[in-house]
Amino acid sequence: MKQQGVHPEGAESTSDASSRPGTSGEDAAAEFEDETHSDAVEGDEPLLPARVHRPSDLMRLLVGVLAVVILLAIAAFAHGTTSGLEQDINKGTGQAPDLLIKIAGLASSIAILLVPVAFAIERLIKRDGLRIADGVLAAVLAHGVTLATDLWVAKAAPDSIQEALTQPSPGDIHALTDPVHGYLAPVIAYMTAVGMSRRPRWRAVLWIVLMLDAFSMLVTGYTTPFSIILTVLIGWTVAYGTLYAVGSPNVQPTGRTLMAGLRHVGFHPVSAAREEVAETPETGDRGRRYFVTLEDGPPLDVTVVDREQQAQGFFYRAWRNLTLRGFATRSSLPSLRQALEQEALLAYAAIAAGANAPKLIATSELGPDAVMLVYEHTGGRTLDSLPDEDITDDLLRDTWHQVRALQSRRIAHRRLVGDAILVDRSGTVILTDLRVGEIAAGDLLLRMDISQLLVTLGLRVGAERAVAAAVSVLGPDAVADCLPMLQPIALSRSTRATLRTLARERAQRERDAILEASQQAKQARLEETHDDATPVLEKPDKKAVRAEARAEKRAIDEALEEAREEDLLTQIRHAVLLIRPQAPVEPARLERVRPRTLISVIAGAIGAYFLLTQLTHIEFGPLIQNAEWGWVAAAVLFSAASYFAAAMSLLGFVPERVPFTRTVGAQVAGSFVKIVAPAAVGGVALNTRFLQRQGVRPGLAVASVGASQLFGLGCHILMLLSFGYLTGTEKTPSLSPSRTVIAGLLTVAVLVLVVTSVPFLRKFVVTRVRSLFAGVIPRMLDVLQRPQKLLTGIGGMLLLTACFVMCLDASIRAFGTEGSSISIASVAVVFLAGNALGSAAPTPGGVGAVEATLTVGLIAVGLESEVAAPAVLLFRLLTLWIPVLPGWLAFNHLSRKGAL
């Protein structure tokens, strides 16, 4: 888009325009453009959108929602604190003079109506009617939210929340005050949405009016402190939710503003062309870049950064700062001044260190909401855009020389990816995008830069060339020291995405090779059968069938070995270890909090809260005294027998000879592993590792565990349906199934239809099922040739389920009476449902999810809550917590013996 330029003669400076009291960002930007006049210049730039959805508005919306939740939680659980606070405030405000109270009430009631009207008139005079429309919409929505909140507090909220938000009305002791002020919340939403808080004079008036209104309402007894706070939060939250939904007026500086700013700092631009870069979460905050030609002199590269771009990627940076240990990204939401100073400092420091970096020659503000950085033009292409044949060894070594120059002055680049490495026409490497770097960096960040550049170059030229170039410049010791940093969490976001894509492609090639080998083996067998002169009706020889199955399995294993590829990080490690065999390879612990740990803590807290609410109504003293200790002993025996059943269910799908006693020990060790990992992950990994240590080939070990899991899933579903059917027929003379079973079958049918009708889901499921059958089915064929093994596996699975069901039933009978027991079928249904949810839950051992499901399920099938809660606690104590210590001992013992 062509835009006519502006001229700076006689224009005021940017800082002067932005420092006027009561001047908004968009007003100052408009004045910055309108007051600048000279010869016309042109700028090439895409049309900017009229409205933008600001990430900062979304952030404030989430903060407001969180604050409302915390306030209601305090009101619900800290009843004594809220009552004491109200008494203290009432005591303090009761001493205020009556005249002051009347004056404050009159002034606030008038001002709270006049201030919004006056501001609306002021905005309309300046032709900013869209702001007023946004404010009116926010006020209407806030009024609806206040009505809904009032209705919820009056009809459904807990008594403690109602007492914190309301009190008897002074005019009518039988009526209560409003939980939320129906007129104040819309006014706050309106004033926030129209941007009054960003104007100093109007902001002062706003706070004075709010404080006067709150004071008058509190001293007259028409509200409570929590009601005032909730009103302000609702108005504030609804305003920012409205702004994010409909968008805010775009105040990003245009090409006209840019060229006017260049003239302010002494340049004479002729044209400006904006560089088109695909925005990603990692590059969205880098600013808009322009190529500017001048009337005299070489062209310029100008970067413009505004507040909206500063907010790009805020949540990602905040999460990295929270989860990473020992280092972090830059400030989650820096100011424009901080961003300007950071990039300028790094630009000067990089050149002083002797590295090739763009030369910064000027900086300036573009109004109150943007800044610009002016660099000498550096023509060339990025490493990502270079063809493979142009990436020579000299170019690789030159890149490492630039990094060595930075590291000699303790400067960390922090983003050595392909688009940050520029190669000019003479072949010189220039390091760009220094704004996320760090001065006086520690060893950790410097080693991370080396590992990042190794991966960046390895993606283009391979691991061997990347390592060789690094060693030739940095030396083998410096490269070897970076191996602990060679892990995905230490790499940039774009690099991690590329590695994940390559991993998916590599896995797809392995699956295709396995399927092709299986099809070739089947085709060869069909051809041999067709050429064979044996009569068709003759019974096939069992030995020949077994030989064919073994040949097919051997072909699949050979194809898998040939197709297996190492990932790039492993290739780099091996290349470095060839030079420094003693180099440390153990990855450094960089994560402070893992997502799995955070989810586990949240889910565990929810489960603990649920259990505590159930246990508060139970008197454990009489319950333990009246417990049947014989049934407790029976529950202990059933829990111990489950480990022998688990060993049988695993060995039934392993044709190779594996010691039964040691397998039982591995299942006991699994009791410790599943506490530190989700149940569906820890047990699979441990059993696979155990079988490999017993001499089973890795591919066959994975297939055996997969076959066991697949067959166990089928048995689990069949048993759940069967016991559900029996539960539905217990109280009816007919053999009609229960409505729950029918609803479950219909739900499964609907899910199958949805998966088959959506192409993406269908492709995803078919790919996973195909890979599963490619590895598991040949293993199942081996097991089917040994009926004794298959019987052992099936019997072990049935026995394992029976042990857990009987353990839960014994736990119920230990605390129940004669009339409180339920049928075995009902106990089995509850256990199978709880076990399924526990396997799906991301928490270790299904903590929280299993307890809640079992307790609710037992109560739903007719068991008293006074019996269900302690029974579930005893069951989980015997099957999860008590076995942890024996499991830890078994894990250490098997590890010392080399079995794990």
Side-chain angles (χ1 to χ4, degrees), residues 41 43 154 232 270 342 362 404 440 549 692 752 883:
V41 294
V232 174
V270 176
Q342 173 81 358
R404 186 179 67 176
Q692 292 179 12
V752 171

Side-chain angles (χ1 to χ4, degrees), residues 34 63 72 94 124 147 201 232 271 286 294 307 314 345 379 431 448 490 497 583 594 623 663 679 746 832 876:
D34 294 339
V63 170
L72 294 178
L124 291 174
L147 293 178
R201 292 178 179 174
V232 174
S271 64
R286 292 167 55 189
L294 303 178
R307 295 191 187 279
F314 165 78
L345 176 62
L431 299 181
M448 285 178 59
R594 296 183 179 180
L623 192 65
T663 306
L746 291 176
L832 291 171
R876 293 291 281 172

Side-chain angles (χ1 to χ4, degrees), residues 325-344:
R325 180 195 302 271
F327 71 99
T329 60
R330 61 182 175 84
S331 175
S332 298
L333 196 61
S335 66
L336 285 173
R337 172 61 62 178
Q338 290 174 333
L340 180 68
E341 294 173 350
Q342 173 81 358
E343 187 165 353

Side-chain angles (χ1 to χ4, degrees), residues 653-706:
F653 296 90
V654 183
E656 293 81 5
R657 185 178 297 276
V658 178
F660 180 76
T661 305
R662 183 165 287 184
T663 306
V664 174
Q667 306 313 303
V668 176
S671 302
F672 166 70
V673 174
K674 68 182 180 181
I675 288 296
V676 296
V681 177
V684 172
L686 183 136
N687 286 329
T688 303
R689 177 72 171 174
F690 171 72
L691 293 179
Q692 292 179 12
R693 288 293 187 176
Q694 300 308 306
V696 182
R697 297 179 61 183
L700 299 180
V702 173
S704 294
V705 176

Side-chain angles (χ1 to χ4, degrees), residues 494-623:
S494 58
T495 304
R496 296 200 303 270
T498 303
L499 293 177
R500 286 194 297 268
T501 302
L502 295 176
R504 288 194 294 267
E505 295 175 353
R506 187 168 56 250
Q508 183 62 43
R509 287 194 295 269
E510 293 180 0
R511 288 193 292 266
D512 293 341
I514 293 173
L515 292 175
E516 183 179 358
S518 178
Q519 293 173 357
Q520 290 178 356
K522 292 178 181 178
Q523 184 65 28
R525 187 168 63 250
L526 290 175
E527 293 175 357
E528 292 176 1
T529 304
H530 184 268
D531 297 336
D532 195 357
T534 304
V536 178
L537 297 178
E538 183 177 347
K539 186 176 181 180
D541 187 5
K542 292 183 178 180
K543 293 183 178 179
V545 173
R546 293 177 181 176
E548 292 173 356
R550 286 194 295 270
E552 181 179 356
K553 180 168 66 66
R554 191 182 310 111
I556 292 176
D557 292 340
E558 292 175 356
L560 181 61
E561 290 295 333
E562 293 178 0
R564 182 173 288 115
E565 306 174 22
E566 290 183 339
D567 63 279
L568 179 62
L569 300 185
T570 303
Q571 295 176 24
I572 294 175
R573 292 190 190 97
H574 290 170
V576 175
L577 290 175
L578 290 177
I579 302 172
R580 278 289 185 270
Q582 71 277 15
V585 295
E586 186 69 22
R589 177 69 184 277
L590 301 178
E591 289 180 292
R592 181 185 295 111
V593 179
R594 296 183 179 180
R596 186 181 65 193
T597 304
L598 187 61
I599 294 175
S600 301
V601 171
I602 295 174
I606 294 174
Y609 171 75
F610 178 83
L611 289 179
L612 289 175
T613 56
Q614 295 291 326
L615 297 178
T616 53
H617 306 289
I618 301 174
E619 296 182 1
F620 282 95
L623 192 65

